[in-house]
Amino acid sequence: MDNHPGYDGDVEDEANWRCQHCGDDFQDEADAYLRDWCIFNFHFADCLKVQLSSPPKSGHVPRSSSSVTPIFNFRFVVILLAFYFVMVGARNVVFAEESAEVELLRAQAEKQKDFNKRLLVTLGRVSELGNSLKLELGPVYNDTQSLQTVTDNAARLLNELQKQTRPLEGKADEERTIRDGPTAVGVQSYLSSLKRAEDKLSKLKSTNFRVNQEAMTELGNLLNYGRQQLRSLFESLLQEDVKAIEPLQFITKQFSFPSIPQSKISELAALAGFISVNQPRTGYQDSAPSARVYADVRGSYLNSSLQNLATASISTSKKKSLDSIYRQGTSGIGTYANAIEGIFLAEWRNITLIFARDTWSTIFEHTTHQAIVEFSKTLRELGVQIKSNITTDCFLAYEIVGIANLLAVRIDSQTGQLKQPLVDAVKPVRDIAKGSIGELLDDIRRRMGAMITIPNDGAALPITTEVMSRLQTLVLYPQPLSSILTSLGDGNWSSSASANGSTTSLPSTKSFDVGADGNQLLAHYVSDTIEMLLSNLESLAKRLVRSKAVHGVFMANNVAIVDRMIRSSEIQSLFNSTNTPNKVESWRKKATGTYLDAWREPCAALMDVQYTNRGARPPSGSNAIDSAAIVKSLNSKDKDALKEKFKSFNLSFDALSSKHKEMSPSMEREVRSQLARDIQAMIEPLYARFWDRYHEVDKGRGKYVRYDKGSLSAQLSSMG
């Protein structure tokens, strides 16, 4: 600033100066902006004069020529001029806009002051007016609020009264529909009308208004009438399919037992669901009417359909001969059980499609009740028949127990029901079957004890065949017998309680053997029965027979029958894991030994005494034996002894051979051949040796030596 030619003032007071070029005064810092423009304009004019080499104005002190360098050319001068004029114009525009805005703001400030003054005056007047109105209108406002509350309460009361009387709307239409019946208006429409009537009745009951009591009574009676109509329709629909069927046709042709047609199932389900709603189910008598109706109607159908098979089961179980053993499958009880299973399962499917799940078991149990009662009655009648012929008809009891148990398991596996009722139905027959285990053994003891004679020819007793036939039939029922024998316990059938036919004796510790195998118990029972049979036969023979030959043949024949019937039946497979075959073999050997004891007499006659210290030892081997030399060496006393031996042998052999031939027809085939082989094996070697040494004592006359080796062998061979 101090070098500026237009500066007029002190350097210290830079803010107060006058431009000598334009004459403007700048008093303070607020005018610094205008001062800067003035300095620029002056400097620009100074530069312009130097550029154009024009003389300076008077009164203005130019800068020295050394400080201004003529570096501007003409183009630059033009640019500077243009910039100058633009800046000047912009400054003037800005000044004009700012001045206008300032004036506008001043005018608005004045207006606001006037407005504020008027507003304060107005507020004062309004406040005074409000206070006066509050004093005058306060009581009126309070009365108005009370009236509004009363009005609202009255409106709500009217609205509530309208709601309470609304259920009665359409009552006439519902009554007309219900009175017409489901057949006329359709089941679904009828059910919808009943549901609407129930809703109306429920709403009326919730009001607890005395004025609605008559309407509630009418609706209640109307609903009862409607439900009665539904029950009648439900029963009539069920009655359309209750014609008794012949189950045997479905069993033989392997057809499925008929169910209620699918076209009726949905309708019956809808009816049952509506009738059963809000009904207690604490017991059958208190159960839903639909359940009782269904159980009564369908129960009669089941019972009537099975009646013929129940009668046939009794008639087919009766025997023409009292002594004949019951043969498996003879009775119609198996067909009866198959029919029960098929028709019960078909009925279960009906129930599951019609009724709610929580009622299935109760309805199924009561629907089948009549049929199960008839089944139980049939089994009791069969039980009476079995008990009167326990030794021959006990197998029917085993068959019934097995069939009934299997029936209960099959139905329970598919429905989860009726296992206990079916088990209870067969319980009387099961008790009879359980008692028969000891009764069969008792029958053997009783009959053996009553015998006073046995055949003279040693023939087997009929009881042996009968007992083995029983056992052959017995093993055909492994499942029921396994269950019965397990309940008795291993060996308990041989106890005195079992022998007396008691079924109420306390079980032994063997009864609680949880690891008992039913088939093994059955094998033990059969083995014990065979052992007891043979033991009693042995005791009988010892008591009644003195001849060992007859005794031996008698026991051999009975053992042969036992062995043959074991091998020709399922008993053989049952004995694979037991030692019963060994026991039978030991009995056979014992019988053979008893018979051969009678042949020891001729064998004893063939025994001789040789003295080795008297001369040379006789050469071994038959070819080297010289009978003449041996006989010649004997004295007369020894020769007479040899003659007596041959004579004794002849008498004993001829007697035993004759007796053997007499008993031969009564011998079992295998017994005859086996005894012949055993006799030949015992007699022939002894006689051949004796004959080789001493046959010359007779000198070929045949007086003492009746048989040579060939004729004796032929005689022995003819015994078989």
Side-chain angles (χ1 to χ4, degrees):
M1 289 293 179
D2 54 342
N3 295 327
H4 194 279
Y7 178 71
D8 188 9
D10 296 334
V11 177
E12 292 81 4
D13 191 13
E14 183 177 328
N16 301 316
W17 61 281
R18 174 181 296 172
C19 181
Q20 296 179 2
H21 180 71
C22 61
D24 292 334
D25 293 329
F26 301 97
Q27 301 298 327
D28 52 21
E29 294 181 357
D31 294 332
Y33 177 77
L34 298 177
R35 181 193 65 187
D36 291 340
W37 273 105
C38 184
I39 294 172
F40 174 78
N41 292 337
F42 177 79
H43 181 73
F44 175 75
D46 189 24
C47 292
L48 184 60
K49 286 190 295 182
V50 173
Q51 180 68 26
L52 298 177
S53 300
S54 58
K57 291 183 180 181
S58 59
H60 187 279
V61 181
R63 293 186 180 182
S64 62
S65 59
S66 59
S67 63
V68 180
T69 305
I71 61 175
F72 296 100
N73 54 23
F74 181 75
R75 182 180 298 173
F76 183 70
V77 171
V78 173
I79 293 172
L80 290 176
L81 287 173
F83 181 73
Y84 172 78
F85 289 122
V86 169
M87 295 300 295
V88 171
R91 183 188 63 181
N92 294 334
V93 172
V94 171
F95 288 165
E97 289 178 354
E98 291 178 351
S99 299
E101 289 176 359
V102 170
E103 292 298 330
L104 180 60
L105 289 173
R106 289 175 180 174
Q108 289 179 349
E110 291 297 329
K111 291 180 180 180
Q112 186 65 36
K113 290 179 181 179
D114 294 339
F115 177 74
N116 290 340
K117 292 178 181 180
R118 290 194 300 271
L119 184 60
L120 290 174
V121 175
T122 303
L123 285 176
R125 290 198 299 268
V126 169
S127 178
E128 294 176 358
L129 182 60
N131 291 332
S132 61
L133 289 175
K134 183 177 180 181
L135 295 174
E136 295 176 359
L137 297 179
V140 176
Y141 174 77
N142 293 334
D143 295 340
T144 303
Q145 289 293 102
S146 300
L147 292 175
Q148 184 64 38
T149 302
V150 173
T151 303
D152 293 341
N153 292 337
R156 284 195 294 269
L157 179 60
L158 290 174
N159 187 30
E160 190 64 27
L161 290 174
Q162 290 176 356
K163 289 181 180 179
Q164 302 305 328
T165 57
R166 193 174 301 162
L168 296 177
E169 297 177 0
K171 175 177 172 295
D173 295 336
E174 306 300 349
E175 182 176 5
R176 182 169 54 255
T177 301
I178 294 173
R179 295 294 181 186
D180 289 342
T183 305
V185 301
V187 174
Q188 293 301 327
S189 299
Y190 198 80
L191 292 177
S192 299
S193 180
L194 285 175
K195 289 178 181 179
R196 289 192 296 270
E198 282 189 341
D199 292 339
K200 296 178 185 298
L201 180 60
S202 176
K203 292 178 180 179
L204 288 176
K205 288 181 178 180
S206 64
T207 62
N208 201 23
F209 288 163
R210 185 177 299 177
V211 71
N212 291 332
Q213 291 299 322
E214 183 178 356
M216 287 190 292
T217 302
E218 293 178 357
L219 277 176
N221 294 334
L222 186 62
L223 286 172
N224 290 334
Y225 175 80
R227 292 193 184 98
Q228 184 61 41
Q229 291 293 314
L230 291 180
R231 285 195 291 270
S232 299
L233 177 61
F234 186 79
E235 184 175 0
S236 64
L237 289 175
L238 291 175
Q239 291 288 354
E240 294 176 1
D241 299 288
V242 294
K243 184 180 180 181
I245 62 172
E246 186 55 51
L248 189 60
Q249 296 181 2
F250 295 90
I251 295 174
T252 55
K253 296 180 181 180
Q254 297 183 349
F255 291 161
S256 298
F257 278 79
S259 302
I260 296 176
Q262 191 64 33
S263 58
K264 295 182 181 179
I265 288 293
S266 58
E267 191 171 358
L268 288 171
L271 292 172
F274 188 87
I275 297 172
S276 303
V277 68
N278 297 327
Q279 294 289 339
R281 301 189 181 108
T282 57
Y284 178 65
Q285 297 300 328
D286 297 328
S287 61
S290 58
R292 296 197 297 271
V293 170
Y294 185 92
D296 293 341
V297 174
R298 298 297 293 182
S300 299
Y301 156 74
L302 296 180
N303 190 36
S304 60
S305 297
L306 296 171
Q307 185 63 51
N308 290 338
L309 289 179
T311 304
S313 298
I314 297 175
S315 61
T316 54
S317 300
K318 294 180 179 180
K319 299 183 302 181
K320 296 180 180 179
S321 174
L322 295 178
D323 297 332
S324 62
I325 295 177
Y326 172 80
R327 296 301 175 186
Q328 188 177 30
T330 303
S331 174
I333 190 67
T335 304
Y336 187 19
N338 291 335
I340 289 176
E341 179 183 357
I343 202 168
F344 276 18
L345 293 180
E347 203 60 37
W348 172 259
R349 289 191 292 271
N350 292 334
I351 292 172
T352 57
L353 293 174
I354 294 175
F355 295 96
R357 187 181 186 87
D358 59 341
T359 62
W360 290 353
S361 59
T362 303
I363 297 174
F364 186 54
E365 180 180 351
H366 290 91
T367 302
T368 57
H369 177 70
Q370 296 183 43
I372 292 179
V373 168
E374 185 64 28
F375 180 63
S376 178
K377 179 182 176 183
T378 302
L379 295 185
R380 284 196 300 271
E381 292 185 19
L382 291 175
V384 172
Q385 175 183 326
I386 294 169
K387 201 167 185 178
S388 62
N389 302 281
I390 188 67
T391 57
T392 57
D393 288 353
C394 61
F395 310 103
L396 174 59
Y398 306 148
E399 183 175 31
I400 291 173
V401 171
I403 289 173
N405 288 343
L406 187 59
L407 173 65
V409 170
R410 285 180 176 176
I411 293 180
D412 180 70
S413 64
Q414 298 193 46
T415 66
Q417 306 297 325
L418 299 186
K419 186 174 183 179
Q420 191 58 46
L422 290 173
V423 170
D424 293 341
V426 78
K427 187 177 184 300
V429 178
R430 180 181 174 85
D431 291 340
I432 295 173
K434 190 175 181 180
S436 69
I437 298 299
E439 183 64 26
L440 291 176
L441 299 176
D442 183 66
D443 179 69
I444 297 174
R445 297 187 187 96
R446 184 172 55 251
R447 293 176 63 182
M448 288 289 189
M451 289 183 181
I452 58 176
T453 184
I454 60 174
N456 294 329
D457 56 359
L461 293 178
I463 190 175
T464 303
T465 303
E466 292 178 15
V467 171
M468 293 307 299
S469 296
R470 291 179 191 172
L471 295 180
Q472 285 182 333
T473 308
L474 192 76
V475 297
L476 299 177
Y477 306 96
Q479 187 273 331
L481 282 170
S482 296
S483 173
I484 293 171
L485 294 175
T486 301
S487 65
L488 286 173
D490 194 0
N492 281 350
W493 48 79
S494 298
S495 64
S496 58
S498 179
N500 293 330
S502 174
T503 60
T504 59
S505 60
L506 293 175
S508 68
T509 55
K510 294 181 180 180
S511 301
F512 301 97
D513 182 9
V514 296
D517 183 359
N519 289 332
Q520 187 177 11
L521 292 177
L522 180 58
H524 289 174
Y525 175 74
V526 174
S527 177
D528 289 353
T529 303
I530 293 174
E531 184 70 19
M532 191 190 70
L533 171 66
L534 296 177
S535 297
N536 280 272
L537 289 172
E538 177 73 10
S539 299
L540 183 65
K542 289 181 179 180
R543 179 166 55 88
L544 299 177
V545 179
R546 293 185 178 182
S547 172
K548 289 187 176 181
V550 177
H551 183 173
V553 171
F554 174 75
M555 288 303 300
N557 283 333
N558 286 285
V559 171
I561 291 174
V562 170
D563 184 67
R564 184 193 314 134
M565 298 187 76
I566 287 175
R567 298 179 185 278
S568 62
S569 66
E570 296 295 327
I571 301 177
Q572 178 67 32
S573 60
L574 190 67
F575 283 165
N576 287 336
S577 59
T578 65
N579 63 346
T580 301
N582 297 331
K583 292 181 179 180
V584 175
E585 180 63 19
S586 66
W587 278 105
R588 187 192 66 78
K589 291 180 178 180
K590 185 177 180 180
T592 302
T594 301
Y595 179 76
L596 293 179
D597 284 344
W599 288 84
R600 296 187 183 279
E601 183 179 352
C603 290
L606 299 176
M607 299 296 178
D608 63 338
V609 180
Q610 296 183 13
Y611 298 95
T612 58
N613 58 350
R614 297 179 181 179
R617 182 176 180 176
S620 61
S622 60
N623 293 333
I625 295 176
D626 187 355
S627 177
I630 293 174
V631 172
K632 186 177 180 180
S633 65
L634 299 175
N635 55 36
S636 59
K637 185 178 180 180
D638 292 336
K639 290 179 181 179
D640 291 339
L642 289 175
K643 292 177 182 178
E644 286 297 326
K645 284 182 178 291
F646 274 109
K647 185 178 179 179
S648 176
F649 172 80
N650 293 335
L651 291 175
S652 178
F653 180 78
D654 289 344
L656 290 173
S657 296
S658 177
K659 186 66 174 178
H660 183 87
K661 290 180 180 179
E662 290 178 4
M663 294 188 300
S664 182
S666 64
M667 292 181 186
E668 299 296 324
R669 182 181 65 257
E670 55 267 40
V671 172
R672 184 167 54 250
S673 61
Q674 182 63 44
L675 290 179
R677 288 193 300 269
D678 291 340
I679 293 171
Q680 189 171 9
M682 183 174 67
I683 298 295
E684 189 173 11
L686 291 174
Y687 188 82
R689 173 191 169 281
F690 196 81
W691 186 89
D692 286 340
R693 292 182 61 82
Y694 305 114
H695 68 277
E696 286 296 333
V697 74
D698 192 33
K699 296 181 180 181
R701 291 176 300 201
K703 182 178 179 180
Y704 300 105
V705 183
R706 185 177 301 174
Y707 301 101
D708 59 13
K709 291 191 293 184
S711 61
L712 182 69
S713 178
Q715 180 73 8
L716 293 174
S717 298
S718 66
M719 291 182 180

